[in-house]
Amino acid sequence: ETGVTQTPRHLVMGMTNKKSLKCEQHLGHNAMYWYKQSAKKPLELMFVYSLEERVENNSVPSRFSPECPNSSHLFLHLHTLQPEDSALYLCASSQDWGTIYNEQFFGPGTRLTVL
Amino acid sequence: ILNVEQSPQSLHVQEGDSTNFTCSFPSSNFYALHWYRWETAKSPEALFVMTLNGDEKKKGRISATLNTKEGYSYLYIKGSQPEDSATYLCAFPADYGGATNKLIFGTGTLLAVQP
């Protein structure tokens, strides 16, 4: 166990649905991340929150909306997704955002399928 | 555009074989290099954060070396076991100066160890 949990583990949704992915970290970390893993592509950073403030938005379409209500929880709200958004969505946390030397701790991911 | 290359893409070895694979990265302005192991259906897990040229780090049968002048890192596994089967990812800082924990990931090397 890495100390980072994600729910649900699997999600199937239609293009008109609204759903949310949840991430929780029990490590006392200050930074939380959303990544997307599409088939045969590298892990792609989507958003970063540091001390509950969004510090990175990697040109992600507005149909993905992150929320960080406190330092332990991170959500990714999904609305009007496209089939090409089907992917594995991983959450991660690290002690701090402001240094490259911190390792990141990952959750197991949510496998999303958009029909 | 920053590029992190990993080779080979996949590797099949027999139990007991020793193996190694490569991560190549830009050699200018080096700050750190991360190695992660990602077993199927589990979370990616940090192995090493490499920081100094000539660094060698070890965790059990897995070790890593770093050459920042030529821009590569090797990951070695001695006496591979089936439980070593995983995708091995390396990641490089995306931001100049290493001022943030934003990482660019390679596509990984998929290792399969046959019993």
Side-chain angles (χ1 to χ4, degrees), chain A residues 46-99:
Chain A
M46 300 174 73
F47 301 104
V48 183
Y49 277 80
S50 175
L51 299 169
E52 299 155 47
E53 270 195 49
R54 194 190 311 179
V55 294
E56 186 79 18
N57 177 344
N58 212 24
S59 304
V60 180
S62 59
R63 57 186 184 268
F64 294 91
S65 172
E67 181 191 2
C68 187
N70 56 61
S71 59
S72 301
H73 292 88
L74 186 65
F75 293 90
L76 188 63
H77 304 299
L78 314 173
H79 176 49
T80 324
L81 293 194
Q82 306 298 310
E84 58 265 28
D85 297 321
S86 299
L88 181 70
Y89 290 85
L90 285 164
C91 173
S93 70
S94 68
Q95 184 61 57
D96 295 297
W97 166 241
T99 170

Side-chain angles (χ1 to χ4, degrees), chain B residues 25-46:
Chain B
F25 52 84
S27 56
S28 57
N29 299 310
F30 178 86
Y31 291 93
L33 184 86
H34 292 227
W35 279 103
Y36 288 82
R37 174 171 62 193
W38 192 0
E39 293 179 65
T40 304
K42 293 191 176 180
S43 311
E45 175 193 357

